Amino acid sequence: MPSFTSGLVRDFDVLELLGSAEAYDQGGLGVQAIAEHTGRDKGQISRVCRTLHETGLLERHPVTKRYALGHRLYAIALRTREAHLAGLAQRTLLELVVQAEESAHLTVLRGGGVLTIRTELSQHTLRDGSMSGMTLPALRTASGRAILATFTDKEVEAWWDEHGVYRPPPENAPRRPRDTPELSKLRRQPGSIRSLNGLRRVIREVRKVGYAVSVGELNPDIVDAAAAIVDQTGTAVGAIAVGAVRERIGTHYELMGEAVTTHARRISDLLGGSPL
């Protein structure tokens, strides 16, 4: 039996076991099974699991009493993944700014919104500004459309059922960070996509050309294009977007689309993925 000198190491042993394929396939493991796998005392394992459950690192099924990895652990993993993604994307975003001479953004889908986790600004006086830390309505953004285009048809329908129609937050809900009055108003107003069929039409076009475009949906003077970043499982983990002043870009949206597609593919390659 291994010799443990740290409570953290012992607890990690339990977390690692519950992250295994066996635990996932069985919907978690009970205290007895965890004790047998780790070679530790059942009473000790019971106390460890109870503590981890109280902190949100584990969840316990109310009927089977089996433990599984909890929501808090997944939240930590998500933040870690996004930090890793931001690090990978920095050089690519800078290269995109040089190539397109426009501001470039790295975004991720969060429920019904798109969160910008990194922005590199162009040197133009008139430019698409920094949106780092902002969450924008997914349907209005090229990033949201590009990511949704990687979903299966059933996933798109499920997403629409939950997020397609604006629902005001509860009165006691905290205000979103950097949510200006203009953004709050924007969330309440319908964009060009007003139905599930409308979303499906947009997605078909995105899948056809490999990138998404949004014209004047967030700001009447700005057009943005985006392409999804996918990992080795084929899951979209984010998108690369570039925003430009419409007066400067004209109708040459395909040039923006080709640029974001190229740079999104570079990051996807680093993650072992194959984009649209």
Side-chain angles (χ1 to χ4, degrees):
M1 185 173 69
S3 175
F4 295 98
T5 58
S6 166
L8 178 60
V9 172
R10 291 196 299 270
D11 293 352
F12 183 78
D13 198 38
V14 173
L15 294 172
E16 192 170 41
L17 173 62
L18 291 174
S20 67
E22 177 187 354
Y24 180 83
D25 291 341
Q26 296 182 25
L29 297 174
V31 170
Q32 181 66 42
I34 296 173
E36 291 175 356
H37 277 82
T38 59
R40 295 167 62 187
D41 178 72
K42 181 179 177 181
Q44 185 184 53
I45 289 296
S46 179
R47 290 190 294 273
V48 168
C49 289
R50 186 166 57 248
T51 300
L52 293 174
H53 177 253
E54 290 172 353
T55 62
L57 295 177
L58 292 185
E59 293 178 353
R60 192 184 190 199
H61 195 283
V63 177
T64 66
K65 308 301 182 185
R66 292 176 178 174
Y67 285 98
L69 298 181
H71 64 278
R72 188 175 182 186
L73 192 62
Y74 283 110
I76 293 171
L78 180 62
R79 290 194 294 270
T80 302
R81 184 183 70 176
E82 290 176 357
H84 175 61
L85 184 62
L88 284 179
Q90 181 179 14
R91 180 176 178 179
T92 298
L93 288 174
L94 290 171
E95 291 174 349
L96 179 55
V97 170
V98 172
Q99 177 185 347
E101 298 184 349
E102 302 291 352
S103 298
H105 313 280
L106 173 66
T107 62
V108 294
L109 186 67
R110 288 280 185 86
V114 165
L115 171 67
T116 302
I117 61 176
R118 192 177 194 101
T119 292
E120 297 295 342
L121 295 174
S122 75
Q123 298 302 309
H124 287 297
T125 303
L126 293 175
R127 65 188 182 191
D128 183 20
S130 174
M131 294 184 178
S132 291
M134 285 188 177
T135 302
L136 303 171
L139 291 176
R140 289 177 172 268
T141 67
S143 290
R145 298 172 184 183
I147 294 172
L148 288 171
T150 69
F151 285 22
T152 66
D153 292 342
K154 287 186 177 180
E155 288 171 340
V156 170
E157 185 173 348
W159 184 92
W160 177 269
D161 287 343
E162 185 171 358
H163 305 292
V165 179
Y166 173 79
R167 297 178 179 86
E171 292 184 2
N172 60 348
R175 198 179 77 168
R176 293 179 175 88
R178 298 187 63 183
D179 208 355
T180 63
E182 291 78 10
L183 268 179
S184 296
K185 181 179 179 181
L186 188 66
R187 297 183 199 285
R188 296 191 296 269
Q189 295 175 338
S192 62
I193 301 176
R194 304 189 180 193
S195 67
L196 177 57
N197 284 335
L199 175 58
R200 286 169 173 159
R201 284 193 294 271
V202 169
I203 284 176
R204 283 196 294 270
E205 181 62 23
V206 174
R207 290 171 177 169
K208 178 181 177 181
V209 300
Y211 59 87
V213 174
S214 173
V215 181
E217 293 268 357
L218 296 171
N219 181 321
D221 298 323
I222 298 294
V223 55
D224 63 307
I229 301 167
V230 299
D231 64 13
Q232 72 277 10
T233 69
T235 301
V237 296
I240 288 289
V242 62
V245 176
R246 294 175 68 179
E247 180 180 329
R248 186 163 55 243
I249 196 68
T251 58
H252 299 295
Y253 306 149
E254 73 282 354
L255 298 179
M256 296 174 63
E258 291 169 3
V260 294
T261 300
T262 297
H263 289 80
R265 183 174 290 114
R266 289 180 183 175
I267 302 176
S268 295
D269 288 343
L270 293 174
L271 297 173
S274 299
L276 290 175

